[in-house]
Each structure stands twice: as C-alpha cells, then as structure tokens.
Amino acid sequence: MPGCVKPLFLAAGIAWTGFAAPLAQADASPRPFPPITVDLIYPPLKPQSTADEALASGRVQTAQYAATAPARKPWRIAFLFPHLKDPYWLGCDYGVISEARRLGLNVDILVANGYDDLVGQLHQMEEAIAANYDAIVISPISLTADNAAIAKARSRGIPVFELANDSTSDDLNTKITTSLTSMGSDATRWLINDAQKHGLKSVNIALLPGPADAGWVKGEVEGTRAEAARAPVKVNIVAIKYGDSDRIVQSQLAAQLLAEQGQSLNYIVGCTGCAPSAILPLKTAGLAGKIKIVAYDLTREIANAIRKGDIAAAADTKGVSQARLTTNAVVSLLEARERNIPHTILVKLGLLTQANFNTYDFGNSIAPEGFIPILNYAPAER
C-alpha cells in the first residue's frame, strides 16, 4: 500500500506489573463499548478556537455517545501519534486497534519521535495525503504548526479528525478531546482540597507540564493558574519547567526543580510522562514524605503509583474512550450516518485517588495489562 508502513509490533519497555484492570484482551472478540458521556459542541464558534474556547462560546449538548455499527467497507484510516514514549498513547493505540477490529477497518498508526519531532509528523502527514487514505486522524504535536498540513489534506478531499491533542485548525472535520483546562483545574482542585484537609493556609507548587508548544500543555497550565487564582488558600506556582515527555528529560527537570525549590515545595503537578519521572528524584532527595505528586492525566503506570502511594492523585482524560470515539466518528462521517456533526466532542474527565481506586473503571482509560502496541490492522477478507 503506497505510503503505508509495514505491519509492526513494538515492545514499549514499560513495566506492566501491578493491579489487574477489568479489561478484555485485545485479541478477544471485541464488543461494543458502553456509552461514553460527552459534551457535543456546535457553532457559533470564533475562528481558530481551541477546544476550551469552543466549550465557552459554542452551543453545548451533553450526551451519551454510543458505539456505531460495523462499517460497510474496510475504510483506510491513518492515525498520526506524537510518540509512544509513555503509556497514555498505548491506551490510545489500544482504543484504535480494538475498534478497528470491531468495525472492520484498515488502520495504520504513524508515530513521530516525540514533541520535538514536528518535522517528522509533518512528513508523515504528507505521506498520508499522498497515500490517499479515506480519512486521517491527527494528534497534533503543535497547537498551530500542523494547520497548513490539515488544510492541504482537506483540499485533497480527505477528512481530517483531531484526537486528544488540540489544534486551532478550522479545517478539521471534528475534534475529539477533553477540556484541557479541566485537566489543570481538576488536578489543582484536588491538591487545594488536600491542603485544606491538612490545615495549610498557603502552598507552594511546581509544574512539570510537558512540551511548551503542545495544546494540552497550554490547557494544563491555564487550568492550574485559574484554579489557583480562585482557591480559598494561597497557591504559589513557584516554578514551571517545560520539556519533552521523554523519561530522561523529565527526570532531569525534576532533579533540577528539587535542587532549586525542593525545601519549600508542597506539591509537584506533572503530565503522564512527567509525574512518574519525579518519583525517583523525590526519593533520592529525601523529600518523598514532604512533597506530594499529582498527575494531570492517568496511565497504568500512574495508577500503579497511586496504589503504592508514590503519586497522590490523577485527573483522567480517558484516552481509550477518546480513541474509540474518534474511530467511530470517522466511520459515521464516511458513511453519512450523522446529519448534525459537532465541531468538537469532549469526553468528560475522571479523577483517581487511593480512596476510589478499588471501584474505578479503568477500562475507559488504560490498555489491558500486557498489551503491546500494534501499529497496523487489516480485517480478514470478507
């Protein structure tokens, strides 16, 4: 197939030991997922708006998004991921592949080398356009830098959808993500409540939000700032250290942060690759009992860390659900199953702590234990 990568299976190098989430394995016969609670956002919207700006200005309808029926033909769909360096994107991979199996789709997942590989993602977009896929789903590395490539795909008649990472492009058919500022506000609200429970009148927090140009990072930081500004206790954001979500990069940033601010910090808030990377530096500095880590999003690794007490809490954007919903939305558009197509679909967030760990539905959020990334799927001949 021109422009497509060959079938490839990768070991992610991630430790999977820990709790057993109640999930079906990827090689089992896939069943329709339970309805997903979402906000559907329709115009009027301002041009080049983010998902959160759309939420603020658009017509919003809360709904239950149900699984669509299998596709009438094996549509060819390209998914562009920024990386597979942390388990969040493993969950998205699982959501895509499990729905491709159920719906009967040809999918290729094209993976860039990280948030510093914008050139790589733009090259993959060019390849996907040249290969004339029936649809492209992009998780943009940048809030704005992919916009021209998205416009080019649409000019060639290829529908383009957004998954998880936000973009300001007006050429997207539909955005599927979450309220990115809510990632920041929900995580920050938890630490404010925790501070109040411990009688603190003022707290110092530091952020390890991820790469500066990513739309979700902008949302995290804006949400944290807004929640801190209206908090009943004084919240001092003493440091923000941006960087790629690579484990080595984030471990180095965490160590720098602790060397500079460790004696005065109460909380560190970090992204899916960032929060776990702070655990070892915190223990090495002898500050594990003094500073709590809160995560902006949930992965299996973070869930295991919450179970063990290494991370206190995590907001949850439900990456598996986002990927499932996106795959369904593509089929619905290609087969004209919906007349009134929303501009943006936001999956409602969750929050995980030790208190609700035993009752939490992990199936919306993380891949099954032992799942290995699959980058290509083609249904059997009918």
Side-chain angles (χ1 to χ4, degrees), residues 76-129:
R76 298 171 52 242
I77 307 169
F79 289 78
L80 277 64
F81 284 10
H83 64 83
L84 280 170
K85 295 179 182 180
D86 70 56
Y88 178 84
W89 293 103
L90 189 76
C92 290
D93 181 287
Y94 169 71
V96 168
I97 295 298
S98 60
E99 283 303 287
R101 293 176 188 271
R102 186 182 70 81
L103 295 170
L105 306 172
N106 280 290
V107 301
D108 292 302
I109 299 176
L110 312 179
V111 183
N113 290 323
Y115 284 97
D116 55 357
D117 188 27
L118 175 62
V119 172
Q121 185 172 77
L122 293 175
H123 178 70
Q124 289 170 339
M125 190 69 169
E126 289 291 337
E127 288 185 331
I129 294 169

Side-chain angles (χ1 to χ4, degrees), residues 59-313:
R59 180 168 58 87
V60 182
Q61 175 186 345
T62 300
Q64 296 293 310
Y65 194 103
T68 195
R72 293 194 289 268
K73 62 178 285 187
W75 301 100
R76 298 171 52 242
I77 307 169
F79 289 78
L80 277 64
F81 284 10
H83 64 83
L84 280 170
K85 295 179 182 180
D86 70 56
Y88 178 84
W89 293 103
L90 189 76
C92 290
D93 181 287
Y94 169 71
V96 168
I97 295 298
S98 60
E99 283 303 287
R101 293 176 188 271
R102 186 182 70 81
L103 295 170
L105 306 172
N106 280 290
V107 301
D108 292 302
I109 299 176
L110 312 179
V111 183
N113 290 323
Y115 284 97
D116 55 357
D117 188 27
L118 175 62
V119 172
Q121 185 172 77
L122 293 175
H123 178 70
Q124 289 170 339
M125 190 69 169
E126 289 291 337
E127 288 185 331
I129 294 169
N132 198 31
Y133 280 92
D134 294 307
I136 297 171
V137 178
I138 185 168
S139 301
I141 283 176
S142 167
L143 190 63
T144 59
D146 294 273
N147 291 5
I150 293 168
K152 181 177 180 179
R154 289 299 307 279
S155 73
R156 303 290 177 87
I158 302 173
V160 184
F161 292 73
E162 170 196 294
L163 167 59
N165 291 356
D166 203 5
S167 165
T168 59
S169 171
D170 288 330
D171 293 297
L172 291 159
N173 288 84
T174 301
K175 298 182 179 190
I176 295 91
T177 181
T178 58
S179 170
L180 302 176
T181 57
S182 291
M183 293 170 63
S185 60
D186 286 9
T188 308
R189 189 180 306 117
W190 181 89
L191 73 83
I192 291 167
N193 291 337
D194 184 68
Q196 288 183 290
K197 289 177 183 177
H198 291 86
L200 300 177
K201 303 299 183 184
S202 174
V203 293
N204 293 331
I205 71 172
L207 312 184
L208 296 172
D213 195 38
W216 52 274
V217 173
K218 180 175 181 284
E220 289 172 348
V221 175
E222 287 182 352
T224 292
R225 289 189 188 279
E227 198 66 31
R230 57 178 171 257
V233 300
K234 185 173 176 55
V235 179
N236 305 304
I237 303 174
V238 299
I240 303 176
K241 289 191 175 293
Y242 295 99
D244 187 69
S245 52
D246 177 81
R247 181 58 55 89
I248 294 175
V249 171
Q250 288 299 321
S251 294
Q252 291 171 342
L253 289 176
Q256 292 171 13
L257 176 64
L258 293 172
E260 295 165 3
Q261 305 284 348
Q263 296 305 314
S264 63
L265 278 180
N266 301 103
Y267 299 92
I268 294 173
V269 193
C271 71
T272 53
C274 313
S277 298
I279 294 172
L280 183 57
L282 203 60
K283 291 180 177 179
T284 302
L287 296 170
K290 178 181 178 295
I291 301 171
K292 292 183 179 180
I293 302 172
V294 180
Y296 282 124
D297 207 349
L298 183 65
T299 65
R300 177 175 291 276
E301 181 183 25
I302 289 172
N304 279 330
I306 289 173
R307 179 182 58 83
K308 294 186 291 185
D310 290 331
I311 292 178

